[in-house]
Amino acid sequence: MDFKTYYDNQRKLVEQFLKQRIAKKGISRVDEAMEYSLMAGGKRLRPILLMATAETLGKKGYNFLPVACGLEMIHTYSLIHDDLPCMDNDDYRRGRLTNHKVYGEAMALLAGDALLTLAFEVMLEQRNVKPEALIETVREMAMCAGNFGMVGGQVLDLEAENKQITAEELRKLHAGKTGALFIAAIRGGAHLAGASDQELRCLTKFADLLGLAFQITDDILDVTSTTEELGKPVGSDEKNHKSTYVSLYGLEAAKALAEKTCEEAMQCLEPFGDNAWALREITKLMCKRRS
Amino acid sequence: MDFKTYYDNQRKLVEQFLKQRIAKKGISRVDEAMEYSLMAGGKRLRPILLMATAETLGKKGYNFLPVACGLEMIHTYSLIHDDLPCMDNDDYRRGRLTNHKVYGEAMALLAGDALLTLAFEVMLEQRNVKPEALIETVREMAMCAGNFGMVGGQVLDLEAENKQITAEELRKLHAGKTGALFIAAIRGGAHLAGASDQELRCLTKFADLLGLAFQITDDILDVTSTTEELGKPVGSDEKNHKSTYVSLYGLEAAKALAEKTCEEAMQCLEPFGDNAWALREITKLMCKRRS
């Protein structure tokens, strides 16, 4: 199978699972606002990473759709809250109006809250995994998503606005803001697939480097892509006086750093041989992407 | 032991656990905002209910502090988000400035997000429980807190503003907004203590009635208490044109309904004999409270 077919198949599995799960309605109209953002497309990178990691360890990725899709819900809630007026105040996301532009601020706030909450409910619906392993996996997901990880990074990001920060501070900020959910995806897949300590160490290092490469590429795209390709306005980092890998190192050095980081990530996959095919292809895709 | 001593002891256990757990810092200043609201006092009713329910089934309540205190974190996050300008826009809570008044809107939003996330992390740290029972308990907590429960009820509440709603709609709204976390507390304690199906049914009915009694009492206090006693402005329901049990039935009928509901709740505890002592006392306290 070629990689494009593989990725499309995995994405369809994720779309299908999310669609079915979100069709189970609650007691209010918040469901509509949740569905609006959850089913707005996107690369579904985090759940696909989780499944590809399980496959790297010889397991079927689709067996872990509940945990994988819970992670996508966490990612989606973070986008809804990030777009709110008190945060980035964005009107568009993936070429569509943002949640609060359609449903109002209060509803968007609550839709985010409900998606984060549903994420944990769905993850705990995972079957065919040792209960102890599921508890450890979901506990770690929470750790990566909260004040130790993603939310912590978002706060560092807030505080870095209009301020020159050091390379070290930028690394820490992104390790939280974007890196932590990559770690959650890859370590989650590894835990669920019953990884050994040694395997877990290699994959954690891989996740860390992949997250870094992803972020540097993001910063590069903000100055080299077009608004059409990206689905959101380019040049926003400069406009918002944000420190980025490009503003810190310059464009060419940032490109070189992205490439080097990708190569190092690839090296972490060597022990897994052919089984790491999908993870390798995803890594290449992430470093070559135009959006 | 008299009940006041019992309640004070339980509250101290909760305070101590929360204080210790929140001292484990993340990567940013969001921890300070989280701690500000989490350690602002309050009755700690939900965790104490969870522990008292476990005791009703012959188990030690303090063994379940992680799950109990996770629930308190969910309650606290909901208050922070509820107070935000796009929601109730409140400046004071429990006699102190609200979170966003101290830390700003963006930080308060993220502090709420991080507390909700931490709640699940902490609940999954629970030990000395069968892993299957813990998974089921935490999954149900999420269900009670999200679009099926608390958040769903908050949305119904938003949509009921400035609108006359029926008694049935008011019941559904509050069953979500306040009732669901009482259900979570009591069913959580029951699951963790290994309740039988029959015990679970009785306690669920008790939780439902207790939540209702709590809400009717809240509505009554909004017209009969003083701002000093309540720690927040009285008369806010009428000012905000909210449908309440008082506006729907009148004060005297609301008082009678509260009393009848309390009695019915008490009846659900009969099968548990003396073991239900703490739950009975909590029920009495909740129906007699002045704040």
Side-chain angles (χ1 to χ4, degrees):
Chain A
M1 197 190 328
D2 70 343
F3 178 63
K4 194 183 169 312
T5 309
Y6 168 86
Y7 199 94
D8 283 348
N9 287 347
Q10 299 289 86
R11 178 144 64 170
K12 265 179 216 148
L13 287 173
V14 171
E15 295 293 337
Q16 206 168 37
F17 183 95
L18 290 174
K19 195 176 170 185
Q20 248 172 33
R21 190 57 185 75
I22 204 74
K24 202 177 153 194
K25 295 297 176 208
I27 60 172
S28 78
R29 288 203 317 120
V30 80
D31 301 292
E32 195 189 319
M34 293 162 78
E35 188 171 352
Y36 176 81
S37 291
L38 189 64
M39 302 314 293
K43 290 185 278 290
R44 309 304 191 190
L45 191 53
R46 291 153 194 81
I48 292 176
L49 268 175
L50 188 149
M51 294 192 288
T53 304
E55 288 158 13
T56 296
L57 297 163
K59 295 281 157 57
K60 301 280 182 208
Y62 56 73
N63 280 333
F64 306 119
L65 275 166
V67 174
C69 291
L71 190 59
E72 184 69 9
M73 290 177 181
I74 294 180
H75 175 58
T76 305
Y77 115 78
S78 78
L79 301 181
I80 298 174
H81 282 188
D82 234 22
D83 290 335
L84 283 171
C86 70
M87 299 280 290
D88 290 351
N89 196 19
D90 279 321
D91 292 354
Y92 289 92
R93 161 82 61 187
R94 293 171 184 159
R96 304 167 81 203
L97 284 172
T98 46
N99 201 290
H100 65 275
K101 279 284 160 188
V102 178
Y103 298 98
E105 269 185 74
M107 188 68 98
L109 170 70
L110 292 168
D113 290 346
L115 269 176
L116 173 56
T117 311
L118 184 61
F120 288 102
E121 189 183 336
V122 171
M123 289 196 263
L124 294 168
E125 287 166 3
Q126 175 71 51
R127 292 290 170 269
N128 306 315
V129 171
K130 280 202 191 108
E132 293 84 353
L134 181 60
I135 289 171
E136 178 55 19
T137 303
V138 180
R139 191 193 62 76
E140 224 183 69
M141 295 271 171
M143 202 168 83
C144 289
N147 56 325
F148 270 88
M150 186 180 69
V151 176
Q154 284 169 314
V155 172
L156 293 178
D157 195 30
L158 277 180
E159 295 181 338
E161 265 170 31
N162 300 310
K163 215 169 84 179
Q164 185 75 31
I165 62 173
T166 67
E168 200 186 329
E169 286 168 328
L170 190 67
R171 179 82 170 95
K172 186 179 165 195
L173 185 168
H174 287 306
K177 196 180 177 196
T178 41
L181 285 203
F182 282 102
I183 303 253
I186 289 161
R187 282 181 62 95
H191 277 308
L192 293 170
S196 69
D197 288 352
Q198 173 64 18
E199 288 168 333
L200 204 57
R201 261 194 302 277
C202 290
L203 289 166
T204 305
K205 194 174 169 205
F206 166 71
D208 186 46
L209 291 162
L210 188 70
L212 177 59
F214 181 87
Q215 187 57 50
I216 304 172
T217 307
D218 239 30
D219 290 353
I220 293 170
L221 287 174
D222 191 62
V223 297
T224 62
S225 187
T226 64
T227 299
E228 288 68 41
E229 280 181 306
L230 216 52
K232 63 181 179 188
V234 293
S236 69
D237 292 335
E238 205 186 335
K239 205 182 93 194
N240 298 327
H241 308 286
K242 282 206 172 175
S243 293
T244 70
Y245 285 99
V246 175
S247 75
L248 222 59
Y249 295 100
L251 183 58
E252 288 315 309
K255 281 182 178 171
L257 185 60
E259 199 160 319
K260 179 169 157 278
T261 309
C262 269
E263 273 164 30
E264 285 174 10
M266 286 292 200
Q267 281 162 22
C268 300
L269 298 178
E270 270 169 25
F272 303 98
D274 288 346
N275 279 346
W277 169 75
L279 279 187
R280 269 189 208 102
E281 292 294 327
I282 294 172
T283 307
K284 282 189 231 163
L285 178 78
M286 280 173 59
C287 296
K288 282 188 319 192
R289 72 198 160 96
R290 293 293 306 157
S291 68
Chain B
M1 198 190 328
D2 70 342
F3 178 64
K4 196 186 168 310
T5 310
Y6 168 86
Y7 200 95
D8 284 348
N9 287 347
Q10 299 291 85
R11 178 143 66 171
K12 265 178 215 148
L13 287 174
V14 171
E15 295 293 336
Q16 206 169 36
F17 183 96
L18 290 174
K19 195 176 171 185
Q20 248 173 32
R21 189 57 185 75
I22 204 72
K24 200 178 155 195
K25 294 297 176 208
I27 60 172
S28 78
R29 288 205 315 120
V30 79
D31 301 294
E32 195 188 319
M34 293 163 78
E35 187 170 353
Y36 176 81
S37 291
L38 189 63
M39 303 314 293
K43 288 183 280 289
R44 309 303 191 191
L45 191 54
R46 290 153 195 83
I48 292 175
L49 269 175
L50 188 149
M51 294 192 287
T53 304
E55 288 158 14
T56 296
L57 297 163
K59 295 282 158 55
K60 300 280 184 208
Y62 57 73
N63 280 335
F64 306 120
L65 274 166
V67 174
C69 291
L71 189 60
E72 184 69 9
M73 289 178 181
I74 294 179
H75 174 58
T76 305
Y77 114 78
S78 78
L79 301 181
I80 297 175
H81 282 189
D82 234 23
D83 290 335
L84 284 172
C86 69
M87 300 280 291
D88 289 352
N89 196 18
D90 279 322
D91 292 354
Y92 289 93
R93 160 84 60 188
R94 291 171 184 160
R96 304 166 83 203
L97 284 171
T98 47
N99 202 291
H100 66 275
K101 279 284 160 188
V102 178
Y103 297 98
E105 269 185 73
M107 189 67 100
L109 170 69
L110 292 168
D113 290 346
L115 270 176
L116 173 56
T117 311
L118 185 61
F120 288 101
E121 189 183 336
V122 171
M123 288 196 263
L124 293 169
E125 287 166 4
Q126 175 71 51
R127 292 290 170 268
N128 307 317
V129 172
K130 280 200 192 111
E132 293 84 354
L134 181 60
I135 290 172
E136 178 55 18
T137 303
V138 180
R139 191 192 63 74
E140 223 183 71
M141 295 270 172
M143 203 169 82
C144 289
N147 56 326
F148 270 86
M150 185 180 69
V151 176
Q154 283 169 315
V155 172
L156 294 177
D157 195 29
L158 277 181
E159 294 180 338
E161 265 170 31
N162 300 311
K163 215 169 85 177
Q164 185 74 30
I165 61 174
T166 66
E168 201 187 328
E169 286 168 328
L170 189 68
R171 179 81 170 95
K172 185 179 166 195
L173 184 169
H174 287 306
K177 196 178 177 196
T178 41
L181 285 202
F182 282 101
I183 301 253
I186 289 161
R187 283 182 62 94
H191 278 307
L192 293 170
S196 69
D197 288 351
Q198 173 63 19
E199 288 168 333
L200 204 57
R201 261 193 302 278
C202 291
L203 288 166
T204 305
K205 193 173 171 208
F206 166 71
D208 186 46
L209 291 163
L210 188 70
L212 177 60
F214 182 85
Q215 188 57 50
I216 304 172
T217 307
D218 240 28
D219 290 352
I220 293 169
L221 287 175
D222 191 63
V223 297
T224 62
S225 188
T226 64
T227 298
E228 288 67 41
E229 280 181 307
L230 216 51
K232 62 182 179 187
V234 292
S236 68
D237 293 335
E238 203 184 336
K239 206 182 92 194
N240 298 326
H241 310 285
K242 282 206 172 176
S243 294
T244 70
Y245 284 99
V246 174
S247 74
L248 221 58
Y249 295 99
L251 182 58
E252 288 315 309
K255 280 183 179 171
L257 184 61
E259 200 161 317
K260 181 169 155 276
T261 309
C262 268
E263 274 165 28
E264 285 174 9
M266 287 291 201
Q267 280 161 21
C268 300
L269 297 177
E270 270 170 23
F272 302 99
D274 288 347
N275 279 346
W277 169 76
L279 280 187
R280 270 189 206 101
E281 292 294 327
I282 294 172
T283 307
K284 282 190 230 162
L285 178 77
M286 278 172 61
C287 296
K288 283 187 318 191
R289 71 199 162 96
R290 292 293 306 156
S291 67

